[in-house]
C-alpha cells in the first residue's frame, strides 16, 4: 500500500502538469474591433482580464483595434469563416451579419425613447427572438453585452446645425448601416464611407465635413482638433457586445463558456459606469479645446427621422419590427 500511494500521486501530478501545459499552449483568441484603441481599448483590455481570471488562465484574449483585422463587414465574414475568433462591436452592427436585416431597425434614429429603453430591449425576449436565427445563419455566438455607449451626436468642421435643413450637402462619415445612411440622406447630408481608423485624417484633409459619435469617443479620439461644432442630437442609442465564432465557442468546455459570459457581465458593470463618467467629463474637454456645444431643434430631427423610418418599414427590416422594439417596456 505504501508503494501504491506515491505511484498514484505521481500519476495525478503528471496529469495536472499535462492539463496545465495544454492550457498554456492554447493560443490566444484574436478579438477584432474597428474603433481607435484609445476609445474601445480599455473595454477590450478589461474583458480580456476578466476572461483570464475567470478561466484560471486557460483562456486568453488578444485584441486588435483600429480595424487591423478588417472592416466591420470583413469582421463579420471572418467570424463565419474562422479567420477571426471574436469581435467587439456596436450592437447595431448586427445588421451587417448574414441574416441580420431586421437589426437595421436598431439604428433607426430615435427608435429608442432613451438609453434606459435601449437597455430594456437588450434584455428582452424581443431581442433574443431576433438574435437566435442570426446567430445560426451568421455562424457566431453572442457572448454578452459589455458596455453602454453614449448617445451618438453630430460634429462638423464648418457648419452649425440647428435643424435638418442645415445639413444639406454636408459630407458626414457614419457607420455602414443602411438605416443611418438613409436617414442622413433624408436630412440632406451626403453620407461618406470612411474606415474608422482613417476618420481623423479624412476630417483633417477635408474629405468629410463631420461624423457622428458619442461625446466620449469625440474627445478620446481628439476629433476636437479637426472639428468645430458638436450638435447634441442624441439620435442613436446603443452599446458594445462581444461575439465569438460559433465553432470556437463550441470547442470551449461548459466551464470556459461560463467564464466568458461572466466576464462579459463583469466588464459591463465597470465599463458602463466608466462610459458615462467619461462622457460627462468629455463635454468639458471639448469646450476647453475650442468646440462649441450646440443644442439643435430635436423635435424637427425626430419628426424627419420618423417620417424617413416609416418609409423603410418592410424594406430595411421586416414590417412591424419598429413597433415590436418600441413596445418593449
Amino acid at each position: 500500500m505504501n508503494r501504491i500511494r506515491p505511484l498514484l500521486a505521481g500519476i495525478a501530478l503528471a496529469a495536472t502538469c499535462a492539463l496545465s501545459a495544454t492550457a498554456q499552449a492554447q493560443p490566444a483568441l484574436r478579438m477584432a474591433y474597428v474603433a481607435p484603441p484609445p476609445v474601445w481599448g480599455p473595454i477590450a483590455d478589461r474583458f480580456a482580464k476578466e476572461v483570464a481570471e475567470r478561466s484560471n488562465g486557460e483562456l486568453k484574449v488578444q485584441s486588435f483595434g483600429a480595424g487591423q483585422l478588417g472592416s466591420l463587414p470583413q469582421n463579420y465574414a471572418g467570424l463565419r469563416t474562422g479567420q477571426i475568433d471574436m469581435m467587439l462591436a456596436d450592437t447595431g452592427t448586427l445588421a451587417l451579419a448574414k441574416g441580420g436585416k431586421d437589426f437595421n431597425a436598431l439604428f433607426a434614429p430615435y427608435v429608442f425613447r432613451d438609453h434606459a429603453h435601449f437597455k430594456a430591449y437588450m434584455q428582452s425576449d424581443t431581442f433574443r427572438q431576433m438574435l437566435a436565427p442570426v446567430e445560426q445563419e451568421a455562424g457566431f455566438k453572442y457572448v454578452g453585452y459589455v458596455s453602454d455607449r453614449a448617445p451618438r451626436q453630430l460634429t462638423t468642421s464648418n457648419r452649425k446645425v440647428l435643424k435638418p435643413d442645415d445639413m444639406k450637402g454636408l459630407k458626414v462619415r457614419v457607420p455602414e448601416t443602411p438605416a443611418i445612411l438613409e436617414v442622413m440622406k433624408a436630412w440632406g447630408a451626403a453620407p461618406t464611407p470612411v474606415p474608422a481608423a482613417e476618420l481623423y485624417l479624412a476630417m483633417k484633409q477635408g474629405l468629410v465635413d463631420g461624423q457622428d459619435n458619442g461625446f466620449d469617443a469625440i474627445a478620446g479620439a481628439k476629433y476636437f482638433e479637426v472639428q468645430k461644432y458638436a450638435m447634441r442630437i442624441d439620435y442613436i442609442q446603443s452599446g458594445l457586445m462581444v461575439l465569438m465564432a460559433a465553432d470556437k465557442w463550441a470547442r470551449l468546455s461548459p466551464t470556459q463558456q461560463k467564464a466568458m459570459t461572466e466576464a462579459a457581465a463583469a466588464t459591463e458593470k465597470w465599463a458602463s459606469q466608466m462610459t458615462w463618467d467619461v462622457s460627462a467629463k468629455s463635454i468639458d474637454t471639448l469646450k476647453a479645446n475650442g468646440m462649441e456645444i450646440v443644442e439643435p431643434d430635436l423635435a424637427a430631427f425626430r419628426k424627419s427621422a420618423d417620417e424617413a423610418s416609416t418609409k423603410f418599414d418592410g424594406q430595411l427590416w421586416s414590417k412591424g419590427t419598429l413597433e415590436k422594439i418600441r413596445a418593449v417596456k
Side-chain angles (χ1 to χ4, degrees):
M1 179 64 72
N2 289 338
R3 293 179 180 177
I4 293 175
R5 284 178 180 169
L7 179 61
L8 292 175
I11 292 172
L13 179 60
T16 301
C17 290
L19 287 172
S20 176
T22 299
Q24 291 175 2
Q26 183 168 325
L29 296 161
R30 303 201 317 157
M31 183 168 72
Y33 64 92
V34 298
V39 181
W40 289 3
I43 297 170
D45 292 345
R46 181 68 177 224
F47 176 71
K49 177 176 178 290
E50 294 286 352
V51 167
E53 290 179 355
R54 293 168 189 277
S55 68
N56 295 317
E58 291 180 8
L59 299 175
K60 295 180 177 63
V61 177
Q62 183 179 7
S63 60
F64 297 83
Q68 291 180 69
L69 301 185
S71 64
L72 279 169
Q74 289 170 335
N75 286 171
Y76 272 104
L79 286 176
R80 200 149 51 94
T81 60
Q83 290 177 307
I84 63 172
D85 304 312
M86 306 182 75
M87 182 175 172
L88 173 65
D90 190 288
T91 50
T93 67
L94 285 166
L96 300 173
K98 187 175 175 60
K101 176 182 176 181
D102 284 353
F103 282 105
N104 281 313
L106 299 195
F107 270 171
Y110 303 111
V111 64
F112 297 106
R113 295 182 293 277
D114 50 31
H115 202 78
H117 180 208
F118 165 74
K119 288 290 286 284
Y121 163 78
M122 290 301 298
Q123 298 164 8
S124 71
D125 289 338
T126 299
F127 171 66
R128 287 186 284 272
Q129 290 163 5
M130 289 175 64
L131 179 66
V134 183
E135 284 183 307
Q136 186 70 25
E137 190 169 352
F140 66 74
K141 166 67 180 176
Y142 174 80
V143 177
Y145 185 88
V146 293
S147 181
D148 292 347
R149 292 199 73 189
R152 284 182 177 267
Q153 317 297 347
L154 172 72
T155 71
T156 63
S157 60
N158 54 8
R159 190 185 306 179
K160 185 184 298 189
V161 174
L162 295 174
K163 56 189 183 302
D165 285 348
D166 296 335
M167 293 184 66
K168 287 183 179 176
L170 272 178
K171 293 178 290 183
V172 182
R173 186 273 177 185
V174 293
E176 301 169 78
T177 53
I180 291 182
L181 292 172
E182 294 303 321
V183 168
M184 281 287 172
K185 291 176 185 175
W187 286 341
T192 306
V194 175
E198 300 172 15
L199 178 54
Y200 181 98
L201 186 59
M203 291 189 292
K204 184 176 182 179
Q205 295 177 338
L207 299 177
V208 292
D209 302 311
Q211 57 85 51
D212 74 322
N213 257 306
F215 285 126
D216 54 341
I218 296 166
K222 296 187 176 181
Y223 292 156
F224 52 75
E225 295 177 348
V226 291
Q227 298 280 273
K228 172 64 177 173
Y229 302 104
M231 275 59 66
R232 193 197 298 263
I233 59 175
D234 287 352
Y235 86 118
I236 298 291
Q237 305 286 346
S238 66
L240 292 179
M241 61 184 177
V242 169
L243 307 177
M244 188 171 189
D247 63 334
K248 298 291 173 61
W249 177 262
R251 293 177 198 170
L252 300 182
S253 69
T255 301
Q256 290 173 330
Q257 291 177 350
K258 182 181 178 185
M260 280 283 185
T261 56
E262 288 182 347
T267 299
E268 192 275 328
K269 288 181 181 179
W270 173 85
S272 290
Q273 184 61 55
M274 178 196 71
T275 294
W276 294 113
D277 288 346
V278 170
S279 182
K281 294 175 183 175
S282 294
I283 295 175
D284 292 334
T285 299
L286 299 182
K287 289 179 179 178
N289 283 276
M291 286 194 81
E292 180 180 343
I293 308 300
V294 180
E295 304 287 346
D297 178 3
L298 289 189
F301 276 95
R302 286 180 180 275
K303 182 175 183 296
S304 177
D306 285 345
E307 291 172 353
S309 297
T310 300
K311 295 177 184 176
F312 307 142
D313 199 36
Q315 298 178 29
L316 292 182
W317 48 76
S318 300
K319 193 170 183 61
T321 300
L322 289 184
E323 285 70 22
K324 286 195 297 185
I325 293 173
R326 286 171 173 157
V328 171
K329 302 297 184 184

